[in-house]
Amino acid sequence: MDSRTAPPEDSDMSVLQPATAMPVGEFVRLLRADIKSDQRYRDIAITGELGRVTVSGPGHWYLDLKDSDGQLSCVAWRGTASRIPFQPKAGDEVIVVGSLDVYPLRGTIQLVIKEMRQVSQLGALEEARRLLVEKLREEGAMDRPRQPLPAIPQHICLVTGAGSAALADMQRLIEERWPGLRRTIIGVLVQGERATAEIVRGIEAANRMSDPFWAEANGVPPVDLIVCGRGGGSPEDLWAFNLEPVARAVIDSPTPLISAVGHESDILVSDMVADLRAATPSHAIERCVPYRSDLEQQHDDIRLAMAAATVRRLSHLRESVTHLRARLGHAPMAGVERGRGRIDGLASRITAGTTGLFQHQRTRLSRAEATLNAIHPDKVSERGWTLVRDSGGRLVTRASMARPGQAINIRFHDGALGAEVTEQELDEHE
Amino acid sequence: MSEEVEGTVGEVVGEADAAESEIGYAERVARLEAIVRELEAGQQDLEATLALFEEGMGHLRACGDALDAAEGRLRELTLSEAESEASR
């Protein structure tokens, strides 16, 4: 240090002389040289929160670093700033590494930044999330039985960002799969400080709409499915879905709830505790809204299969009756009339049954019956019934079609017998 | 005899009606598939065949109704609108 800066020995008056006073510029230059040569102020790491952030025309950053006890001006020259991999903004928690300097024209001390990185708030958040997951696991919330989703949601409630891209995607997919599906959208904030409370309130409102009394009073079916979520974003943007209030609302939801947050790779606490985790909001819709046309096709398939099987069965029964009627001709007279009555009754009921079916299913049945007619003789012959043909190969379907002495061929399911008609008895009504 | 048929069919359909509100869509479809399998096995007598068919038609109608019932209004509410509506 220069001798002129030494404290006065005698009285205050002695330094208040122009000859002994130092020009301020020189003092600042000395101070600067002092500070710059002091190893304690070189390459020091300082942490704090960014206050004012200014970017100058040439691209230098002027930053205030502060905490509750103090504040320091910092500068990152353009060359350094261009290497820092994030855009600083007020409120960021950062660590800076740099050396102290004095800006002579203002006499201000500033830290010239060489490196800067964000102190991840995520670090603390991740820890809180880990603890929450552990707690919920211990409580059994992760292993609790999940509620099944309705096969067809009668009233779906979407709790998500109003006007968001995720909502638009979900709406589009619903209309594609089930045009006009009944739904209520509750628009909530999905990021920022108020998001947690709004998501919780949205889920609670949706659940009140699942109350049958509420539904009856409002003339709509109760909400039977909730989809809660948002589109992709940074981990901080999605964080509300990692917080305990949201997790609790999801766990406590008496209505089946799908958690649909972010992208495929984002797994939030709400995903872990929901009745179903969908990788994305669109995926949620794919999981819970079927294609209406598929279901209609399935109904048609069932209707056709049922009609075809019923007609096939009735055809078999009709043949049995015809066969019984023929056998009655050979029966002893006692009981024949009673038997004939029963057979006729059966025949008319089958006819009535078939007629009834045809009224419902005329076109489908005729198609089905055509198929069946091609199949059923085999099944019948397996039960011991036979087909009789004359020497010309024509089917003999009545006793009156053959004469004694005529050669006939009897077809069994495993082969045929040649035979000759020895006797003919015709029923009176035939 | 024909009264007996009606009685049997009526009874089956009646049971289905009574349970109408308790049967979900998925259960109906499962029952329909079982009915088709039973009919295709072809072991029932006339009464059972017709009863199965009628029961099946009843389920199909209900399934169709469930599809129609899922259609309704689209409502977009703000959180406060939803909350005031939900507490009505």
Side-chain angles (χ1 to χ4, degrees):
Chain A
M1 274 227 172
D2 197 290
S3 62
R4 283 175 298 183
T5 61
E9 299 280 319
D10 317 327
S11 73
D12 286 345
M13 292 306 285
S14 62
V15 295
L16 289 176
Q17 304 299 323
T20 54
M22 183 190 291
V24 63
E26 192 181 338
F27 175 79
V28 171
R29 189 176 52 76
L30 284 171
L31 177 64
R32 185 178 189 216
D34 240 22
I35 286 176
K36 289 193 76 165
S37 63
D38 191 329
Q39 289 301 316
R40 289 175 302 168
Y41 303 135
R42 291 181 65 120
D43 296 331
I44 41 176
I46 303 176
T47 183
E49 183 191 323
L50 290 180
R52 186 181 52 93
V53 174
T54 313
V55 179
S56 76
H60 313 306
W61 293 349
Y62 297 96
L63 316 160
D64 286 341
L65 190 62
K66 59 175 186 173
D67 62 18
S68 54
D69 297 324
Q71 180 166 327
L72 179 67
S73 298
C74 306
V75 59
W77 304 120
R78 185 176 52 191
T80 307
S82 66
R83 289 197 311 271
I84 292 172
F86 68 98
Q87 193 65 42
K89 59 180 193 304
D92 285 355
E93 291 284 335
V94 295
I95 295 176
V96 295
V97 176
S99 304
L100 272 192
D101 195 357
V102 175
Y103 179 48
L105 289 182
R106 291 226 172 105
T108 52
I109 294 175
Q110 61 184 13
L111 187 83
V112 178
I113 293 172
K114 282 163 95 178
E115 286 175 56
M116 175 164 75
R117 68 176 180 84
Q118 257 174 316
V119 177
S120 170
Q121 283 181 308
L122 280 179
L125 291 175
E126 286 287 358
E127 179 61 11
R129 176 189 192 268
R130 196 184 60 75
L131 291 173
L132 175 60
V133 169
E134 210 166 88
K135 181 162 89 172
L136 293 174
R137 185 162 284 135
E138 272 169 23
E139 284 174 16
M142 304 285 183
D143 309 321
R144 76 191 201 285
R146 300 303 204 266
Q147 307 182 83
L149 307 186
I152 302 174
Q154 299 284 307
H155 188 171
I156 186 169
C157 188
L158 309 176
V159 178
T160 190
S164 64
L167 174 58
D169 284 347
M170 290 196 279
Q171 296 270 54
R172 183 179 47 74
L173 272 174
I174 290 173
E175 280 304 311
E176 211 175 279
R177 302 168 79 88
W178 199 301
L181 187 73
R182 179 182 296 100
R183 56 199 184 274
T184 297
I185 291 144
I186 302 181
V188 295
L189 290 172
V190 289
Q191 70 190 66
E193 278 175 26
R194 284 163 56 206
T196 308
E198 290 218 352
I199 294 165
V200 169
R201 284 162 55 198
I203 292 174
E204 285 169 355
N207 272 311
R208 283 199 294 278
M209 293 179 188
S210 72
D211 184 322
F213 293 107
W214 176 88
E216 202 179 336
N218 285 271
V220 287
V223 166
D224 56 355
L225 180 65
I226 300 171
V227 176
C228 181
R230 54 155 291 154
S234 72
E236 291 92 335
D237 289 345
L238 308 185
W239 208 262
F241 293 89
N242 273 330
L243 296 179
E244 184 158 2
V246 171
R248 294 275 171 217
V250 170
I251 292 167
D252 294 341
S253 174
T255 312
L257 186 148
I258 302 179
S259 170
V261 185
H263 297 301
E264 201 83 37
S265 55
D266 301 317
I267 299 182
L268 289 297
V269 176
S270 65
D271 291 332
M272 298 180 197
V273 294
D275 293 305
L276 181 78
R277 180 221 168 202
T280 64
S282 299
H283 191 231
I285 299 306
E286 286 164 5
R287 291 295 301 271
C288 69
V289 179
Y291 280 100
R292 181 175 177 155
S293 55
D294 284 357
L295 300 186
E296 284 169 342
Q297 181 63 51
Q298 186 189 26
H299 292 179
D300 283 350
D301 292 348
I302 290 173
R303 188 177 286 117
L304 177 58
M306 204 170 72
T310 305
V311 169
R312 189 180 314 157
R313 184 68 193 140
L314 291 177
S315 302
H316 284 170
L317 289 168
R318 184 167 23 202
E319 277 160 28
S320 315
V321 170
T322 310
H323 190 69
L324 281 173
R325 186 184 277 146
R327 278 174 55 197
L328 266 182
H330 302 286
M333 285 312 287
V336 164
E337 282 313 311
R338 199 180 61 219
R340 205 191 302 285
R342 286 189 58 192
I343 299 257
D344 288 348
L346 269 173
S348 67
R349 279 156 54 203
I350 287 173
T351 308
T354 315
T355 308
L357 288 179
F358 269 89
Q359 279 165 356
H360 284 301
Q361 305 284 332
R362 194 173 302 279
T363 50
R364 291 204 167 91
L365 294 194
S366 52
R367 218 187 317 162
E369 203 169 36
T371 320
L372 300 176
N373 285 341
I375 313 166
H376 77 249
D378 290 343
K379 281 202 168 177
V380 173
S381 67
E382 277 170 25
R383 281 186 239 143
W385 295 0
T386 57
L387 289 175
V388 179
R389 295 175 196 276
D390 65 16
S391 51
R394 286 180 294 272
L395 275 180
V396 178
T397 55
R398 295 163 185 275
S400 58
M401 287 173 69
R403 293 279 173 271
Q406 188 176 336
I408 53 171
N409 174 283
I410 306 171
R411 183 78 211 171
F412 295 86
H413 80 281
D414 61 346
L417 295 175
E420 190 182 306
V421 177
T422 57
E423 205 179 344
Q424 184 183 43
E425 287 173 25
L426 295 179
D427 293 346
E428 281 169 18
H429 68 280
E430 284 290 330
Chain B
M1 270 322 239
S2 66
E3 274 169 24
E4 203 180 302
V5 176
E6 279 167 22
T8 311
V9 173
E11 203 178 300
V12 173
V13 171
E15 274 168 15
D17 282 346
E20 194 83 5
S21 55
E22 295 146 42
I23 302 181
Y25 179 85
E27 288 163 85
R28 283 192 197 280
V29 172
R31 177 64 189 141
L32 277 166
E33 279 161 357
I35 287 173
V36 169
R37 277 198 302 277
E38 263 185 80
L39 285 170
E40 282 175 343
Q43 300 302 310
Q44 312 78 18
D45 63 13
L46 176 62
E47 286 82 358
T49 303
L50 291 176
L52 282 171
F53 181 82
E54 289 301 330
E55 187 196 341
M57 289 305 289
H59 287 307
L60 270 175
R61 266 192 300 276
C63 284
D65 290 349
L67 264 53
D68 292 336
E71 278 186 25
R73 276 176 66 203
L74 158 65
R75 297 171 321 144
E76 208 159 344
L77 308 175
T78 64
L79 180 57
S80 51
E81 283 167 350
E83 285 181 324
S84 75
E85 184 172 309
S87 48
R88 274 211 295 258

